Amino acid sequence: MPQVPSTRWCPTPEQLMILEEMYRSGVRTPNASQIQQITSHLSFYGKIEGKNVFYWFQNHKARDRQKLRRRLSRQQVQVASASLPPHPPPQFFPHLYQPHNPQFFHQGGGFQEPRQGLDLLRKLETCSSRDEASPSGTSPASIYGCEWAAMIREPNSGESSMCCHSLKTLELFPTKSTGLKEESSTSKSSCSASTN
Amino acid sequence: MPQVPSTRWCPTPEQLMILEEMYRSGVRTPNASQIQQITSHLSFYGKIEGKNVFYWFQNHKARDRQKLRRRLSRQQVQVASASLPPHPPPQFFPHLYQPHNPQFFHQGGGFQEPRQGLDLLRKLETCSSRDEASPSGTSPASIYGCEWAAMIREPNSGESSMCCHSLKTLELFPTKSTGLKEESSTSKSSCSASTN
DNA sequence: GCAAATTAATGATTTATTCAAG
DNA sequence: CTTGAATAAATCATTAATTTGC
């Protein structure tokens, strides 16, 4: 018997076919129960574990996003180079997100990812607009009492003079434009957004 | 047409670079005037507000500490495991799979389902659906065994049977192995014989 | 034709973000 | 401010495609 039987799962064509079909149907992040069932089902076509299903969806989703992002990024670069905006608007990718397929696992009315961390970006910057219902210290509104809050309360005073960036402390940081990876301007900053 | 201009700040690579450089230089908790200056400087590279800077340093500092703590913890674990096994490493949570964990009981209840993930993964590992046992020591999580299977069991959905491949929902994926459909979409179907 | 060498895909891990609760 | 939970992003690692010299 082979000493190194198999270090990793290798999906059979049937398994792959089914997984892709599910993905096309909108499955993105199956929960434990779903993974369990999928695994059971796919095990009919070959050895498979729950983690394989989990990883598959994770990777497939990620690489799908990656593909899209790269595509958009390229477009963005073209547009940006043509206009060269002062601040490149973070390009998000409003893309795939499961249209709650009723085909798969009637749970919770078809929703699978009720609150995927997609609209996560919404919160930080909008803190001022949702400060009302803040129970206590958790909301950003609570820190508005800090000294720095006074500063940001006056966007005008700041923005009008936002142009001068010659500061003693900041001088120390040469604006060396380090080569970012790919994805152009959205590499590390990971303006990860996804739409629900 | 900037579709939904994302309500929160997304640092540009330049901004991020500068912030990180400042952090490396020792900046941790800038006061209002410092934040003001930083904001002014960074606004050259993109839209930004004082609160963004404030939050960034706050979070970055926190995560840095966390990182350090984690690293130290890991080292200690290694040393401890080599010498004495006083108690399970702090990274592990023996009670993770407790059946009363509310996370896994929302599926049928019309509740929004919280995120899943690491915990789930932990459970998924080393839970083979076929006969062959996982090669000992391949994954770092063989410690959990198949606990996840028990965990994800739904209390009242009635579909907790994972033994049969024919699941009502999965029936929808016709296992038609009509030997075809190998088009461009499955160009990645590596492995196995009948690929393309 | 064939294997060693190289490259492309992709499974599996690790790390970083994010939100929410404490 | 801290910590837990759940990803998503980044990365590592292995397998399959393919290229290449013979």
Side-chain angles (χ1 to χ4, degrees), chain B residues 35-158:
Chain B
I35 289 176
Q36 168 77 14
Q37 295 183 345
I38 297 167
T39 304
S40 300
H41 182 65
L42 293 184
S43 67
F44 180 73
Y45 302 101
K47 183 181 174 186
I48 191 172
E49 295 180 46
K51 63 180 180 182
N52 304 133
V53 176
F54 175 84
Y55 285 134
W56 190 90
F57 277 100
Q58 191 125 321
N59 284 322
H60 205 72
K61 185 171 55 177
R63 272 70 203 242
D64 215 23
R65 269 196 298 264
Q66 188 181 29
K67 221 186 308 177
L68 261 176
R69 205 178 317 133
R70 220 159 155 186
R71 210 169 299 168
L72 288 176
S73 179
R74 204 182 311 182
Q75 292 181 358
Q76 289 180 353
V77 167
Q78 292 180 352
V79 174
S81 64
S83 57
L84 52 109
H87 54 76
Q91 300 175 320
F92 303 148
F93 302 91
H95 56 284
L96 271 180
Y97 69 98
Q98 284 180 354
H100 66 258
N101 187 341
Q103 297 180 10
F104 296 91
F105 294 96
H106 294 332
Q107 298 180 17
F111 228 140
Q112 64 171 14
E113 180 149 4
R115 302 150 115 197
Q116 41 182 74
L118 230 192
D119 185 40
L120 168 59
L121 202 227
R122 284 279 149 67
K123 299 326 191 219
L124 292 174
E125 289 178 335
T126 69
C127 196
S128 175
S129 63
R130 266 292 163 99
D131 48 349
E132 184 169 349
S134 60
S136 60
T138 40
S139 294
S142 53
I143 37 181
Y144 291 105
C146 292
E147 292 176 344
W148 78 280
M151 173 192 68
I152 65 177
R153 192 172 305 158
E154 298 185 25
N156 51 8
S157 76

Side-chain angles (χ1 to χ4, degrees), chain A residues 10 13 30-33 43 45 48 87 92 103 105 108 120-122 125 140 148 151 165 175-176 189 191, chain B residues 6-11 17 36 41 43 45-46 49 51 55 107 116 129-130 152 154 169 172 175 191-192:
Chain A
C10 195
N31 59 33
S33 178
S43 68
Y45 302 98
I48 191 173
H87 49 85
F92 298 120
Q103 298 176 283
F105 304 143
L120 14 101
L121 309 197
R122 201 159 305 155
E125 186 118 8
W148 76 278
M151 174 185 66
H165 43 278
T175 61
K176 59 189 176 196
S189 38
C191 304
Chain B
S6 173
T7 55
R8 90 180 196 188
W9 175 61
C10 188
M17 197 175 58
Q36 168 77 14
H41 182 65
S43 67
Y45 302 101
E49 295 180 46
K51 63 180 180 182
Y55 285 134
Q107 298 180 17
Q116 41 182 74
S129 63
R130 266 292 163 99
I152 65 177
E154 298 185 25
T169 44
L172 296 172
T175 60
C191 199
S192 131

Side-chain angles (χ1 to χ4, degrees), chain A residues 74-89:
Chain A
R74 212 171 341 195
Q75 295 180 357
Q76 182 185 2
V77 166
Q78 294 179 352
V79 174
S81 62
S83 62
L84 187 59
H87 49 85

Side-chain angles (χ1 to χ4, degrees), chain A residues 117-134:
Chain A
L118 317 183
D119 50 353
L120 14 101
L121 309 197
R122 201 159 305 155
K123 221 174 165 214
L124 282 182
E125 186 118 8
T126 327
C127 57
S128 58
S129 63
R130 59 185 299 277
D131 52 0
E132 41 191 13
S134 61

